[in-house]
Amino acid sequence: MKKFNFRKVLDGLTASSPGSGSGSASNSGGAGSGSVHPGGTAGVLREEIQESLTSEYFQICKTVRHGFPYQPTALAFDPVQKILAIGTRTGAIRILGRPGVDCYCQHESGAAVLQLQFLINEGALVSASSDDTLHLWNLRQKRPAILHSLKFNRERITYCHLPFQSKWLYVGTERGNTHIVNIESFILSGYVIMWNKAIELSTKTHPGPVVHLSDSPRDEGKLLIGYENGTVVFWDLKSKRAELRVYYDEAIHSIDWHHEGKQFMCSHSDGSLTLWNLKSPSRPFQTTVPHGKSQREGRKSESCKPILKVEYKTCRNSEPFIIFSGGLSYDKACRRPSLTIMHGKAITVLEMDHPIVEFLTLCETPYPNECQEPYAVAVLLEKDLILVDLTQTNFPIFENPYPMDIHESPVTCTAYFADCPPDLILVLYSIGVKHKKQGYSNKEWPVSGGAWNLGAQTFPEIIITGHADGSIKFWDASAMTLQMLYKLKTSKVFEKQKVGDGKQTCEIVEEDPFAVQMIYWCPESRIFCVSGVSAYVIIYKFSRHEITTEIVSLEVRLQCDVEDIITPEPETSPPFPDLSSQLPSSRSLSGSTNTVSSEGVMKDSIPCLSVKTRPVRMPPGYQADLVIQLVWVDGEPPQQITSLSISSAYGIVAFGNCTGLVVVDFIQKTVLLSMGTIDLYRSSDLYQRQPRSPRKNKQFIADNFCMRGLSNFYPDLTKRIRTSYQSLTELNDSPVPLELERCKSPTSGLATRTPEAAPGFYRNEMPAVRQRNQVHHLPDHVNGHCTSPTSQSCSSGKRLSSADVSKVNRWGPGRPPFRKAQSAACMEISLPVTTEEARENSYNRSRSSSISSIDKDSKEAVTALYFMESFARKNDSTVSPCLFVGTSLGMVLLISLNLPSSDEQRFTEPVMVLPSGTFLSLKGAVLTFSCMDRTGSLMQPPYEVWRDPNNTDENEKTWKRKLVMNYSTSPQEAGDHQYTIICSEKQAKVFSLPSQTCLYVHNITETSFILQAEVVGMCNSACLACFCANGHIMIMSLPSLRPMLDVNYLPLTDMRIARTFCFTNEGQALYLVSPTEIQRLTYSQEMCDNIQDMLGDLFTPIETPEAQNRGFLKGLFGGSGQTFDREELFGEATAGKASRSLAQHIPGPGSIEGVKGAAGGVMGELTRARIALDERGQRLGELEEKTAGMMTSAEAFSKHAHELMLKYKDKKWYQF
């Protein structure tokens, strides 16, 4: 544990290190550097803070992955262990068991998984990938590892089959050959079934790839081989010849046996099913086209779509099940993908929401020669996994216990809360369970394998996801699991969009007008705030009681005049517009006097969406308390919201965009501040603002770049134009064409800043820039340079309206804070700057005229907001309510909030919002704020204790507001001074308030930028966690900003990860790793050490069920399968060795060879020592066996010698 000293020294003195272990000396290399900032006041203040966190507390590792496997390709099931495996196109494998048993593993090559085969009840899995490699996975450990790999060099794998309780794997190839692999050694057998030997010699064409392999249930010595062109060969493995051949005109897609082994069924490309009997292979025993139209006798049935797979399962007490996918008639093109279940004469068609990838029938027995008794069907869809109950006549589906519906609507933002109040999970679950879907099967989920127990290191965790359809889902993420608690639909606040009802919404975003952009949640007060892509903010309060009430709405007009920044000449001004539009309103928005319904006419003072005006029934849970909407200004839509914060203790919500800042009192439902960012710098009286004349209307630029409201553009203020990013709402990872991403309004090109990223600017006056930004991808990080989304284009308006003239807050006249170039260096404000910053400022002044022209039309976006009890001014002696405002140009402004002193006055007296005149500066857009008290303890914003707003209890009616201020010490001690941590996309600074002295500054990155930063609590201390665009995760101690961890975690990041990455307390973090999956990780060493105890076990020891007694007659006439010896037939002694050039054996990292070849170091030495001990034990065991053998031989020799002695004991010498 080290001590760190804060010192304030005289201006101009060289900063000295406060301690030998402070880590505050300037560093010239690496990603960033830390230094002590010289103070700005005379005198020295020394304060000692003990930092308990060291680098040993931190380590990065992935914990668990939730959601549906992205782009699935394969499915497998172990009927004894009852676990399910899903392979994907990206080479991933997800193995699922009972709830809590969810394992993710990845092929290093990233090749698509073609097929999966369980070694039933053996704790192993075989995967075949598209790079023609077989892998053997060991499932007897919590994190599966590859034991062996076999790479085929000259042939491509098309199908694999592993018989039950066999160690020989049949592998079919694209050339039509069949190879055999030993599972134990993963070595290719010399036994090969060549395609030209399998078909008749008279056949002139190649039969095509192998599409099916299976041994006969009646005789294991017979192998059924299906070829793509319609040829089926019944191969005798012993005699090495084809016992019979079957030919059909249509291509074969799949084959399945009857359990008696006398018949098999094929599915074909014309939508037909053929049933073949081994006794008469010349023609099919039965041919049906299940979905074809009936034809007259003698005529062939109408062709249908291909039946991609069929399964033929028998039952003891009923007709067999024939289950297949596809096969629908071509004249029903609009029908959804379907699964057909034929049971006797009944045909049931189950329509699916997504295309079917694969399905499997779950049966009671693993033996193929027994009556199968199917009880469920697992259907793998492109975006879902469902299980159908076959034991009930209506075939209901099972309720899925896994979080497979995260992507039900595309995820647009996330929030993560660790160590939250424990009662919240129960409360949210009790409300959400009432709204669950009905009609599920009453039986338990069939996939119930594995074992899972609650780990020792558990705490309440909640994940919140916002979606493109306006829905918000609350998830219980405790103990490495994920279960949905509650779902909130924000779209219910607004009127439904009618077809042809104007185009005001589609001009904002091309689709998804209700998409959730940002969320802010206070778990203690249960206040929930949402901002949407259509420039609205909704405040929700939690209640256990249902109410029916009207929704209160506010309309805010927010604008900023760019011309006034460049040309500050005084102008005359017309009277202010009507201010009634910002009063609490529940009137019809279409009835507004400013609404222009005719197309082509300028819209003004209307919102993007219409709030419901009739009384609305609100069920228990989160109920809308207030809706705030930004309105159109002079024909230009409102800019999307880039920052959001709310304080339940103050009763105030604040949000900002590239135009300005809005502060609203949600208790009195009034607007306190609605002002452009430029006006926030004016230090005169708010109520003496100089009016200005309206500027000329700016026409719409029709070809303005747009990303459906979920991307942003940013011009770098130093070197280059920064590029755009891919839309979050797209499930496809491929680049999106430019034409598909255009829309009618420039608003869609604006940033929809999630808490993980900053907003952006884009210049309409730069056609060359639009031509360069054709592909929406994060820039290449190979050269170490990245771009940063920290400013955006915005529209300009003419007027600034407010809720009430008496409560309007206006800045007085003052000198414009910007000259030609908008940078912190050009501000007419006295700011403490370092020598390095001064050099940057001189560079900014000498930039080329082209870059300066870009800056002329740029606007400063509000990127971060933070409510806290702090020192608003330099000479304050006590803390007071404050609002920290961070901008895209690295400026921090403090706004003082003057609240009424008593609870009674709080509901009637106005709240005063006053500028403090305090300005702080950083490099890059401001991302986050936090405060620490004088002892170094993290301060939490004050909050109001939750109470039910709709409780009818008499005691509740007289209940007063209870505020928690979160002082770690007494208010008198905490009020002396405090430390403010501010992090931007380039650097972090620690300021001492109220002196406003920069104590520590750490330049985190020079060549990249920070996407997400958060001050988090860990091990009863605090640290700053940052995620960089170049993929690095960095942890810094507080308040000294010493680097604790710097790991290159995601070198090839994309915009989805950047937008959804979020840190939380207790060393936890998450991000959306694919459009359908959430990846959780930890940066805590303690969590990494205990991760094995928190994961589930995939394999549990289970006795393999005994085979049924076949009976005397079946044993006599049922074939010779029980006496078939594969080892004798396929072993090296009989079949010989396979060609070395055909396949290459690769030891896996989980095998002995792989462990021996592991990298050096301590772990490598320990591994080698463990292996040496194992080998020594093995040799000792062999020595013991040899010793026992020698003792046995000695005893036998002694006995034989004794017998000889007795035999010749009485004989004379001459009798020999």
Side-chain angles (χ1 to χ4, degrees):
M1 187 176 299
K2 300 179 181 179
K3 295 184 179 180
F4 300 91
N5 304 325
F6 292 154
R7 297 181 180 179
K8 296 182 179 180
V9 297
L10 295 175
D11 289 334
L13 292 181
T14 304
S16 61
S17 176
S20 60
S22 66
S24 60
S26 179
N27 299 324
S28 59
S33 61
S35 62
V36 178
H37 197 293
T41 61
V44 177
L45 176 64
R46 180 187 181 94
E47 190 71 37
E48 295 185 355
I49 294 182
Q50 294 182 344
E51 293 188 1
S52 59
L53 293 179
T54 61
S55 58
E56 288 76 16
Y57 282 80
F58 301 97
Q59 181 182 345
I60 294 287
C61 73
K62 296 180 181 179
T63 54
V64 67
R65 182 171 294 199
H66 301 297
F68 181 75
Y70 184 55
Q71 295 180 333
T73 55
L75 182 68
F77 181 72
D78 189 328
V80 179
Q81 289 289 322
K82 295 190 181 301
I83 56 177
L84 191 76
I86 301 175
T88 71
R89 192 176 301 173
T90 58
I93 298 177
R94 287 280 294 279
I95 304 174
L96 306 172
R98 66 178 66 238
V101 179
D102 188 343
C103 181
Y104 168 84
C105 43
Q106 173 74 43
H107 292 92
E108 291 185 0
S109 65
V113 178
L114 298 180
Q115 194 175 353
L116 296 172
Q117 285 274 323
F118 274 105
L119 276 67
I120 297 176
N121 204 27
E122 294 291 337
L125 175 71
V126 175
S127 63
S129 54
S130 60
D131 60 350
D132 308 310
T133 306
L134 298 174
H135 305 275
L136 178 63
W137 295 83
N138 178 21
L139 306 184
R140 293 181 179 241
Q141 55 193 55
K142 293 191 175 183
R143 291 191 182 274
I146 295 178
L147 296 175
H148 302 281
S149 297
L150 188 66
K151 169 71 174 177
F152 281 75
N153 298 322
R154 295 185 297 180
E155 297 193 56
R156 307 212 64 180
I157 299 173
T158 57
Y159 194 87
C160 298
H161 171 65
L162 180 65
F164 179 50
Q165 294 181 330
S166 170
K167 66 175 183 179
W168 297 96
L169 175 71
Y170 301 109
V171 181
T173 66
E174 193 175 36
R175 293 185 179 181
N177 302 325
T178 302
H179 301 274
I180 302 171
V181 178
N182 187 307
I183 290 298
E184 294 179 349
S185 62
F186 239 58
I187 296 177
L188 205 61
S189 170
Y191 192 108
V192 183
I193 304 174
M194 305 299 292
W195 68 270
N196 54 358
K197 294 183 179 179
I199 65 174
E200 290 186 358
L201 297 177
S202 59
T203 305
K204 298 181 180 180
T205 59
H206 191 278
V210 175
V211 296
H212 178 82
L213 291 169
S214 62
D215 53 341
S216 171
R218 190 179 184 186
D219 187 354
E220 295 178 354
K222 306 292 177 63
L223 184 67
L224 193 70
I225 308 173
Y227 295 95
E228 190 180 54
N229 72 340
T231 302
V232 179
V233 177
F234 196 51
W235 183 265
D236 190 333
L237 294 171
K238 287 185 177 180
S239 61
K240 299 183 180 180
R241 64 179 183 86
E243 187 170 299
L244 60 88
R245 298 179 179 89
V246 168
Y247 299 97
Y248 195 71
D249 297 338
E250 298 293 336
I252 292 176
H253 285 279
S254 68
I255 303 175
D256 199 20
W257 280 100
H258 188 279
H259 80 276
E260 293 181 350
K262 299 177 182 179
Q263 298 175 344
F264 61 88
M265 181 175 289
C266 303
S267 67
H268 301 276
S269 58
D270 63 345
S272 64
L273 296 174
T274 56
L275 185 63
W276 300 82
N277 195 316
L278 295 181
K279 293 183 178 180
S280 56
S282 59
R283 52 181 297 182
F285 174 73
Q286 182 181 350
T287 302
T288 58
V289 183
H291 294 295
K293 293 182 180 179
S294 59
Q295 303 287 342
R296 296 179 181 178
E297 293 185 4
R299 297 184 61 184
K300 187 177 179 180
S301 300
E302 179 189 14
S303 296
C304 296
K305 296 179 181 179
I307 296 179
L308 302 179
K309 184 177 182 180
V310 64
E311 291 206 348
Y312 188 24
K313 303 300 178 183
T314 55
C315 305
R316 293 189 184 90
N317 303 321
S318 63
E319 295 291 328
F321 280 92
I322 300 175
I323 306 171
F324 61 89
S325 60
L328 295 179
S329 177
Y330 279 105
D331 61 356
K332 298 178 181 178
C334 295
R335 290 189 62 174
R336 295 185 291 180
S338 65
L339 182 77
T340 304
I341 302 175
M342 299 174 62
H343 189 211
K345 295 183 179 180
I347 301 179
T348 304
V349 179
L350 304 179
E351 291 188 344
M352 306 296 171
D353 294 331
H354 310 286
I356 297 175
V357 176
E358 175 70 287
F359 75 90
L360 289 174
T361 306
L362 312 187
C363 302
E364 296 287 352
T365 177
Y367 295 95
N369 57 353
E370 294 180 0
C371 197
Q372 300 298 292
E373 293 295 334
Y375 59 89
V377 179
V379 187
L380 179 63
L381 308 177
E382 278 191 359
K383 298 176 184 178
D384 201 0
L385 172 69
I386 65 172
L387 265 69
V388 182
D389 188 355
L390 295 179
T391 61
Q392 301 184 36
T393 55
N394 58 341
F395 302 128
I397 64 173
F398 292 90
E399 184 177 5
N400 197 329
Y402 313 125
M404 293 291 184
D405 57 345
I406 292 176
H407 62 287
E408 183 179 14
S409 176
V411 178
T412 55
C413 63
T414 58
Y416 193 7
F417 300 87
D419 203 14
C420 56
D423 60 324
L424 270 179
I425 293 178
L426 295 177
V427 169
L428 291 173
Y429 179 78
S430 62
I431 298 296
V433 74
K434 299 177 183 178
H435 304 284
K436 279 193 173 183
K437 296 179 181 179
Q438 305 297 325
Y440 292 111
S441 173
N442 53 10
K443 294 188 176 181
E444 293 184 358
W445 180 255
V447 185
S448 57
W452 178 80
N453 55 357
L454 196 63
Q457 191 179 20
T458 58
F459 39 82
E461 298 175 80
I462 292 179
I463 295 174
I464 305 177
T465 55
H467 300 264
D469 63 351
S471 62
I472 296 171
K473 295 180 181 180
F474 293 76
W475 306 83
D476 177 13
S478 307
M480 296 294 178
T481 61
L482 195 68
Q483 181 183 9
M484 194 172 77
L485 298 172
Y486 175 70
K487 183 177 181 180
L488 175 66
K489 296 182 179 179
T490 62
S491 59
K492 290 187 176 181
V493 173
F494 303 100
E495 297 286 356
K496 292 183 178 179
Q497 298 295 312
K498 298 179 181 179
V499 179
D501 184 18
K503 295 184 179 180
Q504 63 184 35
T505 299
C506 64
E507 290 176 350
I508 305 297
V509 287
E510 186 175 304
E511 58 184 22
D512 300 325
F514 305 110
V516 177
Q517 187 176 354
M518 284 189 294
I519 51 183
Y520 192 97
W521 188 42
C522 178
E524 290 80 10
S525 63
R526 302 185 187 178
I527 292 287
F528 188 65
C529 195
V530 181
S531 70
V533 73
S534 298
Y536 64 83
V537 171
I538 309 176
I539 301 172
Y540 288 91
K541 291 185 177 180
F542 189 85
S543 175
R544 298 176 182 269
H545 303 278
E546 178 180 318
I547 60 170
T548 300
T549 183
E550 292 186 357
I551 301 175
V552 181
S553 65
L554 286 174
E555 296 175 6
V556 180
R557 186 182 180 93
L558 184 62
Q559 67 186 63
C560 179
D561 295 326
V562 177
E563 285 81 357
D564 293 334
I565 302 170
I566 308 302
T567 57
E569 291 81 15
E571 297 174 351
T572 59
S573 172
F576 280 100
D578 183 15
L579 302 177
S580 62
S581 62
Q582 293 184 3
L583 292 174
S585 170
S586 52
R587 58 179 170 78
S588 174
L589 298 175
S590 61
S592 173
T593 56
N594 294 327
T595 302
V596 182
S597 58
S598 59
E599 190 170 335
V601 181
M602 181 179 66
K603 294 184 176 69
D604 189 61
S605 299
I606 61 171
C608 302
L609 299 173
S610 299
V611 179
K612 291 181 178 179
T613 57
R614 63 184 182 277
V616 178
R617 185 187 72 86
M618 299 182 184
Y622 275 105
Q623 300 166 350
D625 182 65
L626 177 65
V627 179
I628 309 167
Q629 291 181 282
L630 298 180
V631 298
W632 288 62
V633 177
D634 298 335
E636 297 182 0
Q639 309 305 309
Q640 293 174 9
I641 296 168
T642 57
S643 57
L644 175 68
S645 184
I646 191 169
S647 174
S648 59
Y650 305 154
I652 295 176
V653 60
F655 60 92
N657 59 10
C658 74
T659 305
L661 174 68
V662 176
V663 181
V664 175
D665 183 349
F666 64 84
I667 294 180
Q668 299 185 29
K669 309 294 190 297
T670 57
V671 178
L672 303 177
L673 179 70
S674 174
M675 187 171 292
T677 312
I678 305 304
D679 295 325
L680 294 176
Y681 291 99
R682 306 180 191 273
S683 58
S684 301
D685 187 3
L686 284 171
Y687 301 95
Q688 300 297 326
R689 184 187 178 198
Q690 178 70 30
R692 298 186 300 270
S693 63
R695 60 183 174 82
K696 296 181 180 180
N697 297 332
K698 184 182 290 185
Q699 298 296 326
F700 255 136
I701 300 177
D703 61 346
N704 192 1
F705 216 73
C706 126
M707 286 297 294
R708 298 187 183 179
L710 293 173
S711 302
N712 41 25
F713 310 91
Y714 178 75
D716 194 339
L717 295 177
T718 56
K719 293 183 180 179
R720 57 192 177 277
I721 305 299
R722 298 187 173 181
T723 58
S724 60
Y725 297 101
Q726 185 175 355
S727 171
L728 269 180
T729 59
E730 293 296 331
L731 282 180
N732 192 354
D733 285 338
S734 60
V736 182
L738 177 64
E739 293 77 14
L740 297 179
E741 297 298 341
R742 293 184 182 273
C743 63
K744 298 181 180 180
S745 166
T747 309
S748 297
L750 304 179
T752 61
R753 180 183 180 272
T754 63
E756 293 74 39
F761 277 46
Y762 185 79
R763 307 288 178 266
N764 292 329
E765 290 75 13
M766 290 286 293
V769 176
R770 290 199 298 272
Q771 295 174 4
R772 292 175 61 184
N773 295 331
Q774 297 286 327
V775 181
H776 317 301
H777 276 291
L778 204 67
D780 191 3
H781 301 284
V782 175
N783 56 7
H785 292 274
C786 299
T787 62
S788 165
T790 53
S791 55
Q792 67 191 43
S793 67
C794 58
S795 313
S796 298
K798 292 193 293 185
R799 297 180 298 275
L800 180 67
S801 59
S802 182
D804 196 311
V805 176
S806 63
K807 297 180 181 178
V808 170
N809 300 313
R810 303 190 190 98
W811 292 79
R815 180 174 293 180
F818 297 103
R819 294 176 182 174
K820 288 186 177 181
Q822 288 190 15
S823 66
C826 302
M827 291 187 177
E828 296 286 330
I829 301 172
S830 176
L831 296 175
V833 293
T834 62
T835 306
E836 179 182 358
E837 290 171 341
R839 288 197 301 268
E840 292 180 357
N841 295 342
S842 63
Y843 168 75
N844 287 337
R845 292 191 185 97
S846 61
R847 289 178 300 175
S848 64
S849 60
S850 61
I851 299 297
S852 299
S853 64
I854 294 177
D855 289 341
K856 285 182 180 181
D857 194 42
S858 67
K859 292 189 177 180
E860 192 172 6
V862 177
T863 59
L865 296 167
Y866 181 64
F867 288 99
M868 175 52 74
E869 294 280 316
S870 186
F871 301 91
R873 296 171 180 83
K874 198 166 188 178
N875 297 323
D876 287 353
S877 59
T878 58
V879 295
S880 61
C882 295
L883 173 62
F884 288 77
V885 181
T887 72
S888 58
L889 295 184
M891 295 302 301
V892 177
L893 303 87
L894 266 70
I895 295 178
S896 177
L897 307 175
N898 191 357
L899 302 173
S901 58
S902 64
D903 287 344
E904 293 78 8
Q905 293 177 344
R906 179 65 185 87
F907 293 93
T908 57
E909 296 295 325
V911 176
M912 304 301 293
V913 180
L914 304 173
S916 66
T918 298
F919 302 99
L920 307 173
S921 65
L922 292 88
K923 290 191 298 183
V926 178
L927 299 180
T928 189
F929 300 95
S930 190
C931 289
M932 303 178 75
D933 62 16
R934 61 180 300 174
T935 64
S937 299
L938 189 63
M939 297 176 61
Q940 300 297 333
Y943 64 89
E944 178 188 1
V945 177
W946 175 80
R947 69 182 181 94
D948 197 327
N950 302 319
N951 200 334
T952 57
D953 190 0
E954 293 296 330
N955 295 329
E956 289 290 331
K957 292 182 180 179
T958 59
W959 193 86
K960 294 184 178 181
R961 299 176 71 225
K962 181 179 179 181
L963 305 183
V964 178
M965 306 310 293
N966 282 321
Y967 289 123
S968 59
T969 59
S970 65
Q972 291 77 15
E973 294 180 359
D976 186 4
H977 66 275
Q978 63 181 208
Y979 308 109
T980 299
I981 300 100
I982 309 174
C983 184
S984 71
E985 63 176 10
K986 290 291 186 180
Q987 64 180 191
K989 287 186 178 182
V990 176
F991 291 91
S992 176
L993 298 181
S995 65
Q996 301 178 15
T997 303
C998 182
L999 300 174
Y1000 284 92
V1001 56
H1002 181 76
N1003 295 319
I1004 301 175
T1005 177
E1006 296 293 343
T1007 59
S1008 184
F1009 61 95
I1010 302 299
L1011 290 169
Q1012 167 66 4
E1014 194 71 35
V1015 176
V1016 294
M1018 182 175 171
C1019 300
N1020 297 321
S1021 188
C1023 59
L1024 175 63
C1026 300
F1027 175 60
C1028 195
N1030 59 13
H1032 284 249
I1033 292 179
M1034 290 163 283
I1035 310 294
M1036 283 152 282
S1037 66
L1038 292 177
S1040 66
L1041 297 177
R1042 289 183 305 119
M1044 297 282 99
L1045 179 73
D1046 189 347
V1047 176
N1048 189 5
Y1049 178 71
L1050 290 173
L1052 296 178
T1053 185
D1054 57 33
M1055 200 53 212
R1056 184 191 311 105
I1057 297 175
R1059 294 294 181 176
T1060 57
F1061 201 106
C1062 52
F1063 295 98
T1064 188
N1065 298 326
E1066 306 299 335
Q1068 305 297 308
L1070 65 81
Y1071 58 93
L1072 201 68
V1073 67
S1074 73
T1076 62
E1077 295 171 290
I1078 289 177
Q1079 176 67 57
R1080 293 168 64 181
L1081 64 143
T1082 180
Y1083 48 93
S1084 167
Q1085 178 67 57
E1086 183 181 4
M1087 178 71 76
C1088 293
D1089 295 339
N1090 299 328
I1091 190 67
Q1092 291 294 330
D1093 298 333
M1094 306 179 71
L1095 298 177
D1097 293 304
L1098 297 174
F1099 178 79
T1100 54
I1102 300 176
E1103 288 290 335
T1104 302
E1106 295 182 359
Q1108 296 179 359
N1109 189 3
R1110 302 181 67 197
F1112 174 75
L1113 294 177
K1114 287 188 177 181
L1116 184 62
F1117 302 105
S1120 59
Q1122 298 300 322
T1123 60
F1124 178 66
D1125 189 0
R1126 293 188 178 92
E1127 181 68 31
E1128 180 182 355
L1129 188 60
F1130 303 144
E1132 184 176 335
T1134 305
K1137 293 184 179 180
S1139 173
R1140 291 186 178 181
S1141 61
L1142 182 60
Q1144 177 187 1
H1145 176 260
I1146 305 172
S1151 64
I1152 297 297
E1153 296 85 348
V1155 174
K1156 286 183 177 180
V1162 177
M1163 293 305 296
E1165 293 295 335
L1166 290 176
T1167 303
R1168 284 189 284 272
R1170 191 181 301 112
I1171 294 174
L1173 288 175
D1174 293 341
E1175 293 177 349
R1176 183 173 180 270
Q1178 184 177 359
R1179 287 195 296 268
L1180 288 175
E1182 293 175 356
L1183 180 60
E1184 185 178 356
E1185 292 177 359
K1186 291 181 179 180
T1187 303
M1190 292 177 64
M1191 291 180 63
T1192 304
S1193 300
E1195 289 177 358
F1197 179 78
S1198 174
K1199 183 179 179 181
H1200 185 63
H1202 184 68
E1203 290 175 353
L1204 284 175
M1205 185 268 295
L1206 293 177
K1207 180 178 179 181
Y1208 296 105
K1209 179 180 179 181
D1210 298 329
K1211 288 186 178 183
K1212 303 297 182 179
W1213 62 270
Y1214 53 82
Q1215 292 177 335
F1216 288 97

